[in-house]
Amino acid sequence: MSACAPTRTDHSTRTARIHPTHSPPPAPHRRFRIAGADVSASIAVFLIALPLSLGIALATGAPLQAGLVAAAVGGIVAGWVGGAPLQVSGPAAGLTVVTADLIQRYGWRTTCAITVLAGLAQLGLGCLRVARTALAVSPAIVHGMLAGIGVTIAVAQLHVVLGGTPQSSVLDNLRALPAQLAGLQPAAVAVSALTLTLLLLWPRIPGRVGRLVQRVPAALVAVTGATAIAALTGLTLPKVDLPSWSSHALAGLPEGPVLGLMAAVLTTTLVCSVQSLLGAVAVDKLIASRPDLLSARSTRVGRSDLDRELLGQGAANIVSGALGGLPVAGVAVRSSANVQAGAVSRNSTMLHGVLVVVAALLMVPILDLIPLASLAALVMAVGIQMVSLHHIRTVTRHREVLVYAVTTLGVVVLGVLEGVTLGIAVAVAVALHRLARTRITHHEKEGVHHVHVRGQLTFLAVPRLSRILHLVPQATHVVVELDGSFMDHAAYEALQDWQKTHTARGGSVELTGRRSRTGLDAGTDAEAESEAATKASVGSRSGTGTDIRTGLATSTGAGLDTGEGDSTAPPALDHVRAGEVPIADCRCRPWTPWRNHQCEVPRETTQTPQTPQTSTPTPTSLAAQPAESTDAARPAEATAARAPETAQRRGERKTETTESAESAKPRDAKRPSQPGQPGEERQPGASVEPGEHQLVRGISAFQRNTAPLVRGELARLAREGQRPTQLFLTCADSRLVTSMITSSGPGDLFVVRNVGNLVPPPGEESGDDSVAAAIEYAVDVLKVRSITVCGHSGCGAMQALLDTEPGGARTPLQRWLRHGVPSLERMADDGRPHARLAGRAPVDAVEQLCLTNVVQQLEHLRAHESVTQALRSGALELHGLYFHVGEAQTYLLAEAASGDGELFGHVGEAGVPA
């Protein structure tokens, strides 16, 4: 979307709608209305649901009207009550095998009663709020269950496609297949083949015509085409026979053995609930993958409430069973069609149910023309699609193909409940095997002994680990590679005891893993280790484990260390050698809470410089400071003069003090005095972080923590070259971290930063070759698809522009800021509407100028020839951003449709693309 694409906004003169700064926006006035997108989406879903409902009812052996009842109830009741507004519920193919077995065993009226009882069970589970528990089932089990059901459906409907009648089980159907092939009906085969051909080829029509005709669902086209051909050619075939609604059978009292009925209710509840909850999660992923639609839905459709969805499915099953309908569950095909058709609320789901009711009452003569062979071919194709090659590849990649295969075979041979139970048992056995299985190997290469540990290092592997480690000769160099994610206390203690013994006997140990230098790594200087630090790091708690990727102790079951100074994190065992910065104690993580990204160095490894005039160390704070704080590098007089202003700017934040640790450096090592204050004693409590040490610590933290994670991607970029999609032009302010606010990484953004995010217009007098060259290179060489100008709150350049007095000295900064004078003039022009933020007015003149400057710099950008040509050809878009630092909120520029000024709206709100 272009930066100045029109959007619908409120008129700027309506001051009553403007609320105080930083307060939440007022709640919008709600009134019932059905959006046009919901109407079109409901029609698309209805056209898919109608033939599938009839086909699933045919496959189960239930009255055909039962499929229409379930589709209508699933749309209206589940759509109204459920917690996944865009999920469409109805008779699902995954329930076909279960329902068919129940009908054959207990009859139709008892099956309806079982459906009602299953709905009551779902209501109970929803009230207990256990919906999330269903997601703990392994995806391999779920996909295996669906694949087994798909195989069962396909084999059964193959008999109907060939003109026969299916048997009660898969094995019976397979045994009867040769006889069925010998006596196939040519008319049924022809209609089925035509249905499958249309179903397969309709989505593959190429070109513009294909894009137009594909708006009609392939299922509807296939059934309609087969019905028309059968009617025109006069083929004699069994067809749909919808009896009068007055003779429709409703639910009756359940009849049968109590244990059998309880197992039937449990099976129906399990399959309906798991399929519906997994479908709701899948719908959330579909919405998240469509950012062009997500912004329009964000005010009405959030993430699914799984407990409420379970209540909605239970209510739908109660109503459907009571009215003589099939069991109801969330359906993936109809739900994905609903999302892709652009539905924005639950109204589309409910309206599709209303359309099914209308069709069931008014379209009976048309529905009676549909051949049963065509519906059977449609359902058989759905069953084949349930055996997904993508799912097979996924479970194979995650080494769960055994669970998938056992579940599939169990469902096909034994039944749904038995197959799922068997799959769960195999999944538990596989998980226990993986937890207990640890491979430990030892080999020697060029005099270095390598011990490789693959898998989780628990107490079960300690005997094998000790046996392998004691095979290593004394006084040798050993590399222990830990290729796993967890080490419990027993394994940690065994490994550390052996390490201390081996190093004490003249050997050296290097511990590596997926991330270099764990907390166990003691280097080669074993004598310098502190016994107290060792005891503290190991601890005496039996419930302590260690994440070998970070070397930090964590309580079992409590998750990983948060990186925020957790007291459970042990001090590193690395000895701080002379002249080194204690990098091992840097606990900053990317994009986690930090203070100016300066790591807090533990007291025992911190050294404070001493001045020649004093013989006692001066307490010095090494706590992290804001970026603008440079008082520690100034003379004492300047620091004292700026103390009130600094205290106000920092919020009078107290700083920590640390004591001197002379052991971190040689005794004769002296730190150079800071420039401008030779021999001066520092003020008590002043913060100082030598720039060189701060830089080295940051680089070392990158090399240790981040470089291993991005090395592969950077190597690819080094080979292929950069291909960014955006030019991001923003201010040089240190508080703007472009990669953070755009969630981008290496190779994504081509960034230009300058004071005030200015874009000098082209021309000899006012032009600036550096910015113009970057624009030309980005547009003509890199072929970026968008350019973004990003301003921010509290911009010092805009404040300087407001404070500039005419006729003053022309410093380099003032000469550069002359490119912002048009922004100042634009703001002062009363004939132009002012740029503004959504929901509130700018807090002061500086913020107003910051907003106006973004709009003006976009005008300067359009004046560049390369940008003009790219905009004219449609290959480039321009965007304006405003980042409020204090709110951590990004605003996107969109021009008001009424011409009353430029509006910066919250990213993600309605009308603003996310």
Side-chain angles (χ1 to χ4, degrees):
M1 177 178 177
S2 175
C4 295
T7 183
R8 182 177 180 182
T9 60
D10 297 328
H11 198 277
S12 59
T13 59
R14 298 179 181 178
T15 56
R17 290 182 177 265
I18 299 178
H19 60 285
T21 306
H22 305 306
S23 64
H29 176 67
R30 296 183 179 273
R31 65 178 185 274
F32 177 77
R33 67 184 183 90
I34 300 179
D38 285 334
V39 175
S40 60
S42 66
I43 295 174
V45 176
F46 160 72
L47 295 178
I48 296 174
L50 188 63
L52 281 177
S53 301
L54 293 173
I56 292 171
L58 174 67
T60 60
L64 296 182
Q65 290 170 321
L68 300 177
V69 171
V73 172
I76 298 174
V77 178
W80 179 36
V81 182
L86 299 189
Q87 176 166 247
V88 181
S89 301
L95 296 165
T96 303
V97 177
V98 177
T99 308
D101 181 65
L102 294 179
I103 293 174
Q104 290 181 358
R105 185 175 301 179
Y106 300 108
W108 172 242
R109 293 171 64 88
T110 299
T111 301
C112 293
I114 291 174
T115 302
V116 174
L117 294 176
L120 291 173
Q122 287 181 301
L123 287 180
L125 294 176
C127 293
L128 293 176
R129 306 185 67 84
V130 296
R132 289 282 173 186
T133 307
L135 300 183
V137 180
S138 170
I141 298 175
V142 177
H143 297 323
M145 178 190 71
L146 295 178
I149 293 173
V151 171
T152 305
I153 293 173
V155 173
Q157 295 308 301
L158 181 59
H159 285 270
V160 183
V161 167
L162 297 176
T165 303
Q167 304 298 318
S168 59
S169 67
V170 177
L171 298 180
D172 292 339
N173 283 321
L174 291 176
R175 282 193 291 264
L177 190 57
Q180 185 66 61
L181 290 173
L184 59 83
Q185 301 294 326
V189 174
V191 171
S192 300
L194 177 60
T195 303
L196 293 175
T197 302
L198 291 174
L199 194 65
L200 180 65
L201 297 182
W202 187 258
R204 290 171 171 79
I205 299 177
R208 184 177 180 183
V209 176
R211 290 192 296 270
L212 292 176
V213 300
Q214 286 169 13
R215 297 179 180 179
V216 182
L220 179 67
V221 173
V223 174
T224 303
T227 303
I229 296 298
L232 293 176
T233 56
L235 295 177
T236 303
L237 289 169
K239 297 179 181 179
V240 170
D241 183 15
L242 290 176
S244 172
W245 285 101
S246 59
S247 60
H248 180 63
L250 302 179
L253 294 176
E255 298 178 358
V258 176
L259 292 179
L261 293 175
M262 291 178 61
V265 172
L266 176 62
T267 304
T268 305
T269 303
L270 173 67
V271 177
C272 289
S273 301
V274 172
Q275 183 169 344
S276 300
L277 295 176
L278 293 177
V281 175
V283 169
D284 286 343
K285 294 180 180 179
L286 285 176
I287 296 175
S289 65
R290 298 293 302 274
D292 55 326
L293 301 178
L294 181 62
S295 60
R297 300 191 182 104
S298 59
T299 56
R300 284 167 284 183
V301 179
R303 293 187 60 85
S304 298
D305 184 343
L306 298 184
D307 292 305
R308 179 180 172 183
E309 178 64 15
L310 202 55
L311 294 173
Q313 296 294 330
N317 274 311
I318 293 174
V319 177
S320 179
L323 296 179
L326 292 171
V328 172
V331 187
V333 176
R334 278 164 260 184
S335 300
S336 60
N338 192 37
V339 175
Q340 293 171 1
V344 296
S345 73
R346 64 179 71 243
N347 292 334
S348 64
T349 303
M350 298 169 61
L351 187 57
H352 123 270
V354 174
L355 293 177
V356 172
V357 173
V358 174
L361 296 177
L362 303 180
M363 295 177 60
V364 173
I366 299 176
L367 298 178
D368 286 342
L369 298 176
I370 301 176
L372 295 181
S374 178
L375 292 179
L378 175 63
V379 177
M380 185 179 70
V382 173
I384 294 174
Q385 292 173 358
M386 293 172 70
V387 186
S388 172
L389 294 178
H390 171 70
H391 292 157
I392 295 175
R393 286 193 294 266
T394 301
V395 298
T396 302
R397 186 168 59 249
H398 292 283
R399 298 183 298 172
E400 292 185 331
V401 67
L402 178 62
V403 179
Y404 180 89
V406 169
T407 307
T408 302
L409 292 176
V411 171
V412 170
V413 177
L414 302 176
V416 175
L417 184 60
E418 294 83 355
V420 170
T421 304
L422 191 59
I424 292 175
V426 174
V428 172
V430 170
L432 293 176
H433 174 70
R434 289 177 179 174
L435 181 62
R437 182 173 180 266
T438 305
R439 294 182 58 189
I440 305 174
T441 59
H442 168 233
H443 67 278
E444 181 183 358
K445 182 179 180 181
E446 298 179 355
V448 178
H449 292 262
H450 296 267
V451 177
H452 192 181
V453 181
R454 296 181 180 90
Q456 315 310 318
L457 200 53
T458 65
F459 67 94
L460 297 174
V462 169
R464 282 178 293 154
L465 177 64
S466 300
R467 184 172 62 253
I468 295 295
L469 292 177
H470 284 87
L471 292 177
V472 177
Q474 299 180 8
T476 57
H477 180 61
V478 185
V479 177
V480 180
E481 183 178 355
L482 305 176
D483 189 4
S485 60
F486 178 77
M487 179 195 306
D488 70 358
H489 177 75
Y492 180 86
E493 192 172 62
L495 186 58
Q496 190 186 55
D497 290 343
W498 170 83
Q499 180 188 17
K500 292 173 59 178
T501 303
H502 188 77
T503 53
R505 294 177 179 177
S508 60
V509 179
E510 179 182 352
L511 287 151
T512 63
R514 293 182 179 179
R515 297 177 66 175
S516 61
R517 293 190 64 179
T518 66
L520 287 169
D521 187 6
T524 58
D525 192 359
E527 296 180 358
E529 293 184 5
S530 169
E531 186 66 20
T534 303
K535 295 294 183 182
S537 64
V538 174
S540 58
R541 295 166 297 175
S542 60
T544 301
T546 300
D547 179 7
I548 67 175
R549 293 172 296 180
T550 60
L552 300 181
T554 57
S555 296
T556 302
L560 299 180
D561 174 60
T562 60
E564 301 179 29
D566 191 351
S567 61
T568 63
L573 302 184
D574 294 324
H575 173 63
V576 181
R577 298 178 179 85
E580 282 190 358
V581 181
I583 303 303
D585 295 298
C586 180
R587 298 192 181 99
C588 288
R589 308 276 180 88
W591 312 139
T592 56
W594 79 102
R595 291 178 293 181
N596 198 30
H597 207 72
Q598 297 177 19
C599 298
E600 185 175 333
V601 182
R603 302 187 180 205
E604 63 268 16
T605 59
T606 304
Q607 177 182 358
T608 302
Q610 298 189 23
T611 59
Q613 286 84 353
T614 60
S615 58
T616 58
T618 303
T620 307
S621 170
L622 287 180
Q625 299 297 326
E628 64 270 15
S629 176
T630 57
D631 296 340
R634 300 177 184 273
E637 295 80 6
T639 303
R642 293 174 54 88
E645 178 185 353
T646 304
Q648 180 180 5
R649 195 166 60 239
R650 297 178 183 172
E652 298 181 355
R653 176 164 55 87
K654 295 183 179 180
T655 58
E656 300 177 2
T657 60
T658 58
E659 297 179 357
S660 173
E662 287 294 324
S663 60
K665 275 185 172 290
R667 297 182 182 274
D668 56 346
K670 293 184 179 181
R671 181 178 299 174
S673 300
Q674 294 292 332
Q677 49 180 359
E680 290 185 338
E681 182 178 352
R682 301 187 185 280
Q683 297 294 327
S687 274
V688 59
E689 173 87 67
E692 179 183 0
H693 284 194
Q694 179 181 338
L695 177 64
V696 171
R697 179 158 48 248
I699 295 175
S700 299
F702 165 79
Q703 293 297 148
R704 175 175 177 264
N705 298 325
T706 309
L709 304 178
V710 301
R711 185 171 288 115
E713 178 67 12
L714 291 178
R716 183 189 66 81
L717 291 173
R719 293 190 306 268
E720 301 176 1
Q722 63 165 332
R723 287 181 292 180
T725 59
Q726 302 179 57
L727 167 60
F728 200 84
L729 199 151
T730 187
C731 185
D733 193 290
S734 63
R735 297 167 294 181
L736 261 70
V737 185
T738 57
S739 58
M740 181 177 66
I741 65 176
T742 59
S743 296
S744 57
D748 293 337
L749 299 181
F750 187 71
V751 182
V752 175
R753 305 185 69 145
N754 60 51
V755 176
N757 50 273
L758 301 177
V759 182
E764 296 182 358
E765 296 182 359
S766 60
D768 179 88
D769 290 340
S770 64
V771 179
I775 294 172
E776 179 182 349
Y777 184 78
V779 176
D780 295 340
V781 179
L782 299 178
K783 304 296 183 182
V784 297
R785 296 194 296 269
S786 70
I787 302 179
T788 301
V789 177
C790 178
H792 67 96
S793 62
C795 182
M798 297 300 102
Q799 181 67 61
L801 193 61
L802 285 173
D803 297 341
T804 300
E805 297 181 0
R810 304 292 290 180
T811 64
L813 177 61
Q814 291 175 336
R815 287 196 299 270
W816 168 252
L817 289 180
R818 75 183 186 276
H819 303 301
V821 172
S823 302
L824 200 59
E825 296 173 348
R826 185 188 189 102
M827 187 182 72
D829 188 358
D830 295 334
R832 287 185 173 183
H834 289 170
R836 65 194 191 282
L837 296 173
R840 68 174 178 87
V843 295
D844 53 22
V846 175
E847 185 169 52
Q848 181 65 70
L849 183 57
C850 292
L851 299 174
T852 306
N853 183 61
V854 172
V855 180
Q856 184 62 39
Q857 300 312 314
L858 287 172
E859 296 294 333
H860 291 177
L861 198 57
R862 293 186 182 91
H864 287 263
E865 182 179 357
S866 57
V867 176
T868 303
Q869 294 177 356
L871 288 174
R872 189 180 298 116
S873 64
L876 185 66
E877 294 180 346
L878 301 184
H879 301 281
L881 283 183
Y882 176 74
F883 183 72
H884 195 288
V885 178
E887 297 175 353
Q889 175 64 53
T890 307
Y891 297 83
L892 182 63
L893 172 64
E895 185 180 7
S898 59
D900 59 350
E902 295 81 7
L903 174 71
F904 286 82
H906 288 80
V907 172
E909 286 192 352
V912 181

